[in-house]
Amino acid sequence: MVTAALVKELREKTGAGMMDCKKVLTETDGDLEKAAELLREKGITKAAKKSGRVAAEGMVEAYISEDEKVGAIVEVNSETDFVAKNEEFRTFVMDVAKQIVKNNPESVEALLAEPAMFEEGKTVNEALIGKIATIGENISIRRFARFETTDGLIEKYIHGDGKIAVLVELTNGTTELAKDICMQIAAARPEFVKDTDVPEERVQKEMEILKVQAMNEGKPEAIAEKMVQGRLRKFYEEICLVDQAFVKNPDKKISDILKENNAEVIRFARFEKGE
């Protein structure tokens, strides 16, 4: 019988994860030594010992279905930038993005527990552990975003060879327009699509700060309050996509570009490696 105490002992001895320890103990009928050997054979012990090291490098990647209706971006971290140039690592990251598009997991934990589409007989977590063992660095799937649409399109953009990834859902627009919007988001770093998306507490806090700034400049309170409204527009221009100047033509705002194309940005995600 595999007890919690036995699992804990094997985990402390090998540094492997709890589920891996439980699995090999079950396979070896609770034999601690055989279970430890099995972990070594699978490369899990080696991988587990490396898993304590910080993984802050790596890359972000994106994948879009052929019909442009489903897309995903994912960040997979490694310890060094060198690994991000490793073809085996890059293939693994793309495979993970494809799996997210197809299976729509609820979380990273759910993704790790799924059977890997790209390695028969293994879960995504087991495939990950295998990459840690062969590549020789700690690797972790940090986060992902997945969009699906029925009446619009999904587009992606990758900048800096995996440094920044953007995913956009657009209605009524063209693929070319969607790509322009993706590049805008990569460059200008908006946080929200439009001003009504900004949480009210964030707006109130900004207004308080702007009022104090104006009063510190010697303005009377009544004047300071009026100045806040003008400065608040500048705040929205920085954090809201549709209020930003279009990077390809600063004389126009993104809202102008969308209106000209009768298009609307429904949502976006922007991942920057290690942020």
Side-chain angles (χ1 to χ4, degrees), residues 180-191:
D180 281 345
I181 297 297
C182 283
M183 292 176 67
Q184 172 80 26
I185 293 165
R189 305 171 62 96
E191 297 178 46

Side-chain angles (χ1 to χ4, degrees), residues 51 67 96 112 140 198 214 236 267:
S51 67
D67 62 2
V96 169
L112 290 170
S140 62
V198 184
Y236 286 134
R267 53 183 169 168

Side-chain angles (χ1 to χ4, degrees), residues 43 69 71 78 89 106 111 149 157 166 170 173 177 184 193 266:
K69 297 297 184 184
S78 61
F89 175 79
E106 292 183 355
L111 169 66
T149 182
Y157 174 67
V166 174
L170 191 73
L177 174 62
Q184 172 80 26
V193 175
I266 303 302

Side-chain angles (χ1 to χ4, degrees), residues 152-172:
L153 65 89
I154 308 294
E155 191 51 77
K156 67 170 185 174
Y157 174 67
I158 305 293
H159 177 75
D161 197 29
K163 182 182 179 183
I164 298 171
V166 174
L167 197 66
V168 166
E169 179 182 349
L170 191 73
T171 58
N172 300 328

Side-chain angles (χ1 to χ4, degrees), residues 17-253:
M18 189 174 292
M19 293 307 296
D20 290 319
C21 289
K22 186 176 180 181
K23 185 177 180 180
V24 294
L25 281 166
T26 301
E27 290 177 20
T28 59
D29 295 322
D31 189 313
L32 201 62
E33 294 303 317
K34 286 183 180 179
E37 288 176 9
L38 189 55
L39 284 172
R40 289 189 63 194
E41 290 170 4
K42 292 185 175 185
I44 294 174
T45 304
K46 178 184 176 184
K49 286 180 179 177
K50 287 172 181 163
S51 67
R53 302 208 296 257
V54 175
E57 292 293 340
M59 65 181 292
V60 286
E61 185 56 276
Y63 177 74
I64 305 291
S65 60
E66 288 186 12
D67 62 2
E68 298 184 323
K69 297 297 184 184
V70 189
I73 57 174
V74 61
E75 178 178 359
V76 180
N77 294 132
S78 61
E79 292 177 62
T80 67
D81 188 49
F82 178 77
V83 169
K85 298 176 175 63
N86 180 299
E87 197 57 41
E88 183 178 0
F89 175 79
R90 298 182 74 86
T91 299
F92 172 75
V93 177
M94 178 56 82
D95 285 340
V96 169
K98 290 179 179 178
Q99 174 130 357
I100 294 165
V101 165
K102 181 169 175 40
N103 289 357
N104 191 20
E106 292 183 355
S107 62
V108 172
E109 291 74 20
L111 169 66
L112 290 170
E114 290 181 352
M117 293 165 44
F118 47 91
E119 283 202 39
E120 191 175 350
K122 292 184 178 181
T123 64
V124 173
N125 189 52
E126 288 168 343
L128 172 65
I129 288 169
K131 297 304 176 192
I132 294 173
T134 56
I135 293 173
E137 279 195 18
N138 182 28
I139 298 168
S140 62
I141 300 172
R142 181 184 175 197
R143 55 180 173 161
F144 68 82
R146 180 187 184 275
F147 294 167
E148 184 168 358
T149 182
T150 53
D151 56 355
L153 65 89
I154 308 294
E155 191 51 77
K156 67 170 185 174
Y157 174 67
I158 305 293
H159 177 75
D161 197 29
K163 182 182 179 183
I164 298 171
V166 174
L167 197 66
V168 166
E169 179 182 349
L170 191 73
T171 58
N172 300 328
T174 62
T175 300
E176 183 180 359
L177 174 62
K179 286 185 181 295
D180 281 345
I181 297 297
C182 283
M183 292 176 67
Q184 172 80 26
I185 293 165
R189 305 171 62 96
E191 297 178 46
F192 306 95
V193 175
K194 53 190 181 298
D195 57 9
T196 53
D197 296 334
V198 184
E200 183 60 29
E201 59 269 23
R202 174 89 177 265
V203 176
Q204 291 300 320
K205 182 65 175 177
E206 185 66 21
M207 290 176 69
E208 290 172 14
I209 293 170
L210 293 173
K211 183 178 178 181
V212 171
Q213 287 177 349
M215 292 180 70
N216 286 342
E217 293 168 9
K219 302 295 190 295
E221 185 172 354
I223 300 297
E225 288 179 352
K226 290 181 180 180
M227 290 175 64
V228 165
Q229 296 306 315
R231 293 183 178 183
L232 194 61
R233 179 45 49 193
K234 179 67 175 175
F235 167 69
Y236 286 134
E237 288 172 358
E238 290 177 356
I239 67 169
C240 296
L241 173 65
V242 298
D243 292 323
Q244 291 181 337
F246 185 32
V247 291
K248 282 190 170 183
N249 182 0
D251 292 334
K252 292 185 176 183
K253 290 189 175 183

